[in-house]
Amino acid sequence: MSLWKKSVFPAAAQHQKLDGQTYNYGTAGFRTKANLLDSVMFRCGLIAVLRSKKTKSSIGVMITASHNPECDNGVKIVEPMGEMLIAEWEVYATQLANASNEELGGVIEGIIKDNNIDMTVSANVIIARDTRPSSPSLSASVIDAIKAFNAVYTDYGMLTTPQLHYLVRCVNTNGQYGEATEEGYYKKLSQAFTQLKIQTPGDNSYLPEICVDGANGVGALKVLQLQKELKGYLDMKVFNDGSTGKLNEQVKIFHNL
């Protein structure tokens, strides 16, 4: 028996796929009711490790359902330069998510063989999640899979999806793209904005103001932090900041931070 099977199989038994459920990885990753996602999260942790070994790079996993209702959740896998998971591996993710508990090992072996993955190569996964009540436990399912593969992970806690994409790229460029911290994200955005404002002809004493609907989610929290870096250049007033109200209630239009 392959060494990885000795640890992955017992861990997978704690996150068994629900009978009758079918999942499909698309542009938004996997997305459905949160109580149906435990096995999917575990298997996405496995996919992230395998992708990391294949690319010899850090891979991101974002637990979120974006603008969906609070009862939903989802997961997206982020490529080394911050891109979405490539189409060929979306197929693998779907196969793994839908494999029966008995088929799981065979599907993993198929991915390893198809991609000539050296299982001795180290793997690193970067994880983040949104503010949904279900996100911490689903994140823990991803981590269980990473540990089962004896891989390394960094859990950044609550972030927006673009922030995780940024961090993955920073890590894989050894900081050339930017500082691999949440603070580095705010600095990169704010410095770009302030330089644009300085270079724009006109009265630089004008203080722009915008209103931001935070939809009672993680974006509201992060806008408030970004505001500190933009003091004197942009005044952002945040509504639905999460202090009251339900996540994404009656949301119609959304923009990611």
Side-chain angles (χ1 to χ4, degrees), residues 12 25 35 42 45 69 79 98 141 154 163 175 184 213 215 237 242:
Y25 194 105
N35 63 342
F42 179 84
E79 287 277 288
N98 289 294
S141 299
T154 303
Q163 286 179 319
D213 183 349
K237 299 184 184 301

Side-chain angles (χ1 to χ4, degrees), residues 30-52:
F30 290 115
R31 194 175 294 185
T32 187
K33 299 299 180 186
N35 63 342
L36 303 177
L37 283 171
D38 175 65
S39 68
V40 174
M41 293 293 173
F42 179 84
R43 293 164 188 224
C44 277
L46 299 178
I47 280 287
V49 171
L50 291 171
R51 187 65 182 149
S52 178

Side-chain angles (χ1 to χ4, degrees), residues 89-140:
W89 278 69
E90 289 183 2
V91 175
Y92 291 138
T94 298
Q95 289 175 347
L96 200 56
N98 289 294
S100 69
N101 300 311
E102 294 72 25
E103 296 168 337
L104 183 62
V107 174
I108 295 173
E109 286 183 326
I111 296 171
I112 294 170
K113 182 179 179 180
D114 288 350
N115 293 274
N116 194 27
I117 297 173
D118 182 354
M119 294 301 288
T120 66
V121 171
S122 61
N124 183 56
V125 181
I126 301 171
I127 307 168
R129 62 182 186 273
D130 66 13
T131 57
R132 295 167 196 274
S134 60
S135 290
S137 63
L138 293 177
S139 178

Side-chain angles (χ1 to χ4, degrees), residues 1-44:
M1 178 182 288
S2 300
L3 185 62
W4 61 265
K5 291 182 180 180
K6 295 180 181 179
S7 54
V8 169
F9 284 178
Q14 303 302 313
H15 302 276
Q16 298 206 16
K17 180 182 178 294
L18 299 175
D19 292 335
Q21 291 298 319
T22 301
Y23 308 96
N24 185 61
Y25 194 105
T27 303
F30 290 115
R31 194 175 294 185
T32 187
K33 299 299 180 186
N35 63 342
L36 303 177
L37 283 171
D38 175 65
S39 68
V40 174
M41 293 293 173
F42 179 84
R43 293 164 188 224
C44 277

